Amino acid sequence: SKIYLDQNRYMEAVTEIKNVIEADPKDFGAYQNLGVAYYQMKDFKNAAQYFEKAVQLQKDARIYKFLGFSYYNLGNFADAIDNYKKSIKLETAKDPKEQEIESLGDTYFNLAVAYNDNALFDQAAEAFQEAFKIDPKNSNAAVGQAQAIESATNSHMEKASSYLLNN
């Protein structure tokens, strides 16, 4: 299955990985790889299903991150946000020397995008800020933060205006 995955022959990999799972239903790596294969084929529903099975066997920051990606691509922002947050919690709980900083920065950035797409602009601004702290060269995080702050301001002003007009 790993050879098929390396060669981007995902359907063949899926067949082999399912054989592994049939032989050992508690094989964390098999569920992870099955999620990856489906993710690469842009079958986000199956990817999420197998990533969920993987984290039931072993809590893993990367799997939660990929669950977030999968749910985001399915348009399920609430589950995307929840899984990004779980990923961040697990990664930041590690000793700083063992943290995967680049992955953590990506997760904060994607969390911010999911918040932004869900009109949670204040939270988006905070998550973009964290992504920028981790990688000060990430101009997308800086621009995202500025846009989220502007959107948050506009949203708060609209709510205040509506409140004043209606009361």
Side-chain angles (χ1 to χ4, degrees):
S1 69
K2 290 185 185 219
I3 292 170
Y4 288 139
L5 285 172
D6 290 343
Q7 295 175 349
N8 300 333
R9 295 169 55 189
Y10 301 115
M11 284 309 299
E12 289 106 325
V14 165
T15 301
E16 295 303 322
I17 297 167
K18 286 185 176 181
N19 290 336
V20 171
I21 290 172
E22 191 174 307
D24 182 5
K26 297 206 183 273
D27 187 320
F28 166 79
Y31 288 110
Q32 176 183 2
N33 288 334
L34 200 49
V36 169
Y38 280 117
Y39 186 88
Q40 292 298 329
M41 293 187 296
K42 300 195 182 327
D43 181 347
F44 302 114
K45 185 176 180 181
N46 275 318
Q49 174 187 344
Y50 289 105
F51 287 140
E52 288 284 1
K53 289 184 180 189
V55 294
Q56 287 173 1
L57 295 172
Q58 179 180 323
K59 304 297 182 220
D60 183 273
R62 282 184 172 239
I63 301 300
Y64 280 119
K65 178 173 114 174
F66 280 105
L67 260 169
F69 290 157
S70 299
Y71 284 125
Y72 181 87
N73 282 299
L74 290 169
N76 185 338
F77 299 132
D79 281 342
I81 289 167
D82 183 51
N83 283 288
Y84 289 141
K85 288 165 77 175
K86 288 177 183 176
S87 176
I88 290 166
K89 184 177 179 181
L90 282 175
E91 197 62 43
T92 56
K94 293 178 183 176
D95 183 280
K97 295 173 190 165
E98 295 176 15
Q99 291 178 1
E100 294 181 33
I101 297 300
E102 186 176 328
S103 180
L104 184 60
D106 289 343
T107 307
Y108 270 115
F109 184 87
N110 287 295
L111 173 63
V113 170
Y115 275 140
N116 201 55
D117 288 349
N118 210 30
L120 299 168
F121 305 118
D122 294 315
Q123 293 93 325
E126 290 171 12
F128 278 126
Q129 180 181 15
E130 290 299 320
F132 188 70
K133 270 194 227 176
I134 290 169
D135 182 6
K137 294 178 183 175
N138 185 345
S139 61
N140 290 330
V143 170
Q145 181 183 14
Q147 290 172 339
I149 290 169
E150 182 179 354
S151 295
T153 302
N154 291 338
S155 175
H156 293 303
M157 294 301 289
E158 286 174 19
K159 287 177 186 173
S161 178
S162 177
Y163 177 79
L164 288 172
L165 290 173
N166 292 324
N167 290 313

